[in-house]
Structure formats: C-alpha cells, structure tokens
C-alpha cells in the first residue's frame, strides 16, 4: 500500500510537471544526452541487480558487481562533468576546462595542454595549472573508484590522498598566480557525456590487472603485487588502483600492502605523465608538470609512512 501510494504521488508530480518536462526534453536536452542518460540508468538500475554476487574466477578475486560499479561510476562522473560544463559554459576559462578534462583522461589532458603551449601559444604556466587541475580531478575519480571497490581501503588512504590533493591544488594555484592575465582560449569539451567503450575497457583492464597481480602474488608474494600495480599504472592508474582495492576486498591482499600498492600506482602514473609532458610540451612545461606530480606522489608516500 505504501509503495502504491508513493508511486501515485510520483505519477501526479510527473503529470503536473508535464509542460516543464516537455520543454526541457525538446529545447534544452540534446538527443545524445538523452541517450547517454538512458544508458546510465540502464547500467545502474537494470544490469547491476542481475549480476551474480559470487566470484567468477578460480582465485576468487573477480566479482562482477564490483567491476560493474566501476563502469557505472565512470559513466556517472562523465555525465556530471558534462552537465556542469554546460551549466558553467566557458566563462570560467581554462581552469574549469582543465579540471573537467581530468574526469575523462588526465593523460590526454597533459598531452593536450602540452601541445597548446607549442601550437596555440598557451603560456606554459597556464598549461601547467590546467594539467595539475586535471590530475586533481583524476585523483578524485581514483578515490571514488577505490571506494566503489573497497570502502575500508579508501578510508585507510584518506590522509595520503588528501595530502596528494593539497599538493596538486597548491601547484595549480602557484601556476595560475604566475600565469599571464590573458591567455589563449581552450577548446570546447566534446559533446558526448561519456564513452561506454572507455568505461568497459577500464573494467576489463582492471580485471586483467587483478588476475595478473593475483598470479604474481602466488609466484613472488606481495612484491609481485606491487610490481604488477606499478606496471599497469603506466597505462591506466584507475584500473591498477581499483585492482588493488578488489584484491584487498577479496582478502587476497593485506591493508598495508594495498595502501602501498596505491602509492606505487601514483608514482608510476607520475613517471609516465612527466615523460609525456617533456616530450609533448617542452622542458618548461615538463618541468612544471613533473614537479607538481612528484610532489603529489611524495606527499602521499610520506603521509602513509607517517600514518603507519
């Protein structure tokens, strides 16, 4: 009876708001945005409840609901960034564009702003600030991915992640303070809110890393897990960190080793993006991005070392 009453009230509200909803769907909402919203709703409300709760691999580390939560999370974050970017427009300029680009790919953002320093005349200080803000958004997404896979690990990593975020924010603020008042415009964000294939590839890569780490742990112990996380993070930091969280959640990895695995992920990601920044944007841009990212990884490691 209570459910029926609630559904009746909801239907009445929808009928009352029919005019507003029609204007919103026909004039404000674009066709591809409606498609992306329906995809997100189907992924969260239809697919998620149908997935089996038991592990699907012989080692007991792969759980489909955990992997699918990561897919839904990436889609939801992409949708949120798209909505906020449309709401804010371009009036907040490069920092907003840099920050939201990090939700899609901070590696791509580092490459894009590095190219802008050479081809579009973007000052290297402004480019470094945008790169740091994209990494700050990526760090927030990494924390969310950790929470989706293992909330205890996220809680244990809250101090190191906060220290890393503070260093990135300070580096971005310093670069913005030193940047010229007038700078070249930033290209608009892609129209698509998220890419489903990208989210699925992230989950698939996360599953492969988890299996690889479990196998290396069987052969070499915890050192093999850290090596697998570091190697995987050179290509995809979020999947590598989520794999550490899933291994801890399944009981295959201790909390301390999972924490140091996350720090190893940040260090490997720092190395890859610093090299990319030097190659794409030149030595000034590379030095600025490298110093900011190294401070992030060092702050996380020092905070974890002090915490333990």
């Amino acid at each position: 009876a209570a459910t029926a009453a609630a559904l009746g009230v909801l239907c009445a509200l929808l009928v009352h708001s029919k005019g507003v909803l029609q204007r919103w769907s026909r004039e404000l909402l674009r066709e591809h945005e409606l498609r992306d919203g329906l995809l997100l709703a189907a992924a969260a409300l239809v697919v998620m409840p149908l997935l089996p709760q038991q592990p699907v691999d012989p080692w007991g580390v792969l759980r489909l609901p955990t992997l699918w939560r990561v897919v839904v999370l990436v889609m939801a974050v992409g949708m949120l960034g798209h909505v906020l970017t449309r709401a804010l427009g371009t009036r907040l300029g490069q920092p907003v564009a840099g920050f939201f680009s990090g939700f899609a790919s901070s590696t791509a953002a580092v490459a894009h702003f590095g190219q802008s320093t050479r081809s579009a005349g973007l000052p290297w200080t402004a480019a470094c600030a945008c790169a740091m803000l994209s990494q700050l958004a990526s760090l927030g997404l990494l924390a969310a991915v950790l929470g989706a896979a293992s909330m205890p690990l996220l809680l244990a990593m809250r101090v190191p992640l906060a220290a890393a975020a503070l260093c990135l924010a300070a580096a971005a603020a310093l670069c913005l303070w030193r940047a010229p008042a007038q700078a070249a415009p930033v290209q608009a964000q892609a129209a698509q809110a998220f890419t489903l294939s990208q989210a699925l590839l992230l989950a698939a890569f996360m599953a492969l890393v988890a299996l690889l780490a479990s196998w290396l742990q069987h052969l070499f112990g915890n050192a093999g897990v850290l090596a697998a996380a570091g190697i995987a993070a050179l290509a995809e930091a979020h999947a590598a960190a989520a794999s550490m969280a899933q291994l801890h959640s399944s009981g295959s990895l201790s909390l301390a080793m999972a924490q140091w695995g996350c720090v190893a992920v940040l260090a490997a990601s720092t190395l890859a993006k610093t090299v990319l920044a030097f190659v794409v944007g030149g030595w000034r841009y590379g030095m600025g991005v490298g110093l900011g990212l190294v401070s992030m990884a060092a702050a996380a490691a020092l905070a974890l070392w002090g915490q333990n």
Side-chain angles (χ1 to χ4, degrees):
T3 303
L7 290 175
V9 172
L10 179 60
C11 291
L13 288 173
L14 291 175
V15 172
H16 179 72
S17 306
K18 180 180 179 181
V20 177
L21 291 175
Q22 284 181 339
R23 177 180 176 273
W24 182 70
S25 61
R26 293 177 180 176
E27 300 179 14
L28 301 179
L29 190 65
R30 300 168 184 169
E31 182 179 353
H32 65 83
E33 292 172 337
L34 178 60
R35 183 192 66 239
D36 290 343
L38 292 175
L39 268 177
L40 175 59
L45 302 177
V46 178
V47 178
M48 180 79 75
L50 298 177
L51 296 176
Q53 298 296 323
Q54 296 78 14
V56 295
D57 66 301
W59 301 278
V61 298
L62 293 185
R63 297 179 182 272
L64 292 183
T66 300
L67 293 171
W68 195 252
R69 275 199 299 269
V70 173
V71 173
V72 173
L73 175 66
V74 172
M75 295 166 65
V77 168
M79 178 66 76
L80 176 63
H82 180 81
V83 170
L84 291 178
T85 300
R86 278 199 65 188
L88 294 174
T90 57
R91 63 186 180 88
L92 295 182
Q94 294 157 340
V96 171
F99 180 79
F100 286 122
S101 65
F103 287 121
S105 172
S106 58
T107 302
V110 168
H112 167 71
F113 290 112
Q115 292 172 348
S116 297
T117 61
R118 290 185 168 179
S119 60
L122 181 67
W124 70 271
T125 47
C128 287
C130 293
M132 292 301 98
L133 289 171
S134 72
Q135 181 60 38
L136 182 61
S138 180
L139 188 66
L141 179 58
L142 185 143
V145 168
L146 283 181
S150 175
M151 184 57 67
L153 179 58
L154 174 61
L155 294 177
M157 286 294 296
R158 63 185 183 277
V159 175
L161 290 177
L166 285 175
C167 285
L168 288 174
L174 178 62
C175 290
L176 284 175
W177 178 65
R178 295 190 58 187
Q182 300 294 331
V186 177
Q187 295 179 359
Q189 185 185 10
Q192 197 169 7
F194 57 81
T195 304
L196 178 60
S197 60
Q198 181 183 17
L200 293 174
L201 284 175
L202 175 63
F205 193 76
M206 171 182 163
L208 289 175
V209 173
L211 290 175
L212 176 63
S214 180
W215 178 61
L216 290 178
Q217 184 185 35
H218 178 72
L219 294 179
F220 305 107
N222 290 329
V225 177
L226 295 180
I231 294 172
L234 293 172
E236 177 51 63
H238 298 111
S243 300
M244 297 299 98
Q246 189 170 7
L247 287 172
H248 169 66
S249 179
S250 65
S252 302
L253 193 65
S254 67
L255 178 61
M257 290 306 300
Q259 288 176 291
W260 284 111
C262 292
V263 172
V265 165
L266 292 179
S269 178
T270 292
L271 175 61
K273 291 174 184 174
T274 299
V275 172
L276 177 65
F278 272 105
V279 171
V280 175
W283 72 270
R284 285 186 175 179
Y285 177 71
M287 186 65 69
V289 170
L291 288 175
L293 294 180
V294 167
S295 69
M296 170 199 70
L302 290 173
L304 182 57
W305 181 73
Q307 180 176 305
N308 293 335

